[in-house]
């Protein structure tokens, strides 16, 4: 049996620009791609925290160290500069691979600076 699991997450990155006329994709700072293990041309899901839009595109490499998160092509209608997004990549694993499975979780501040990395999400506490 195979299971689709979260491979990598860029949590609360800020869109730096959206370019309707650019060939479709999402340009991501090359350092963020390398840190997360997301490959250029890999399918990604983008979840826009500001407006609730959820869409699929693919990653392309932006200049390393630039902090760029650019939503391009038709997807530019779904995210604007300044929007906060969560970018996820998923992969299919077999049961043996799941033994040591850990996703790459990258957390950002409002300046698209990496503030921490992790490989697990804390258990959500019950609220009264």
């Amino acid at each position: 049996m195979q299971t689709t699991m979260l491979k990598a997450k860029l949590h609360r990155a800020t869109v730096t620009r959206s370019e309707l006329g650019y060939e479709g994709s999402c340009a991501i700072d090359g350092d963020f791609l390398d840190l997360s293990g997301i490959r250029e041309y890999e399918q990604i899901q983008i979840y826009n925290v500001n407006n609730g839009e959820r869409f699929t595109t693919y990653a392309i490499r932006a200049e390393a160290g630039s902090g760029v998160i650019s939503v391009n092509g038709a997807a530019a209608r779904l995210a604007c500069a300044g929007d906060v997004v969560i970018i996820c990549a998923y992969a299919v694993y077999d049961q043996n691979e799941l033994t040591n499975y850990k996703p790459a979780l990258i957390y950002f501040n409002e300046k698209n600076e990496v503030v921490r990395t992790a490989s697990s999400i804390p258990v959500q506490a019950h609220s009264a």
Side-chain angles (χ1 to χ4, degrees):
M1 178 171 64
Q2 296 185 318
T3 306
T4 302
M5 303 289 289
L6 178 67
K7 172 186 164 185
K9 176 173 80 163
L10 305 179
H11 189 74
R12 297 187 64 87
T14 301
V15 175
T16 57
R17 65 180 181 240
S18 59
E19 295 191 32
L20 186 61
Y22 193 83
E23 187 173 346
S25 59
C26 180
I28 301 172
D29 179 314
D31 289 340
F32 303 161
L33 293 178
D34 295 342
L35 186 60
S36 67
I38 297 173
R39 299 173 62 106
E40 190 167 22
Y41 307 112
E42 183 172 351
Q43 179 177 299
I44 55 175
Q45 299 286 322
I46 299 179
Y47 312 125
N48 189 325
V49 175
N50 291 75
N51 64 21
E53 292 285 354
R54 301 167 71 92
F55 54 96
T56 304
T57 188
Y58 58 93
I60 61 172
R61 185 171 292 272
E63 181 180 352
S66 65
V68 164
I69 302 289
S70 181
V71 180
N72 302 319
R77 299 229 186 252
L78 306 174
C80 300
D83 284 356
V84 174
V85 294
I86 300 166
I87 301 171
C88 294
Y90 298 88
V92 177
Y93 300 89
D94 66 33
Q95 295 306 303
N96 292 332
E97 292 172 305
L98 290 175
T99 303
N100 296 314
Y101 161 79
K102 295 202 182 305
L105 311 173
I106 317 300
Y107 296 85
F108 295 87
N109 65 17
E110 64 282 345
K111 297 177 185 175
N112 280 354
E113 297 167 331
V114 174
V115 294
R116 71 184 178 93
T117 62
S119 61
S120 67
I121 298 171
V123 173
Q124 186 171 352
H126 172 73
S127 58

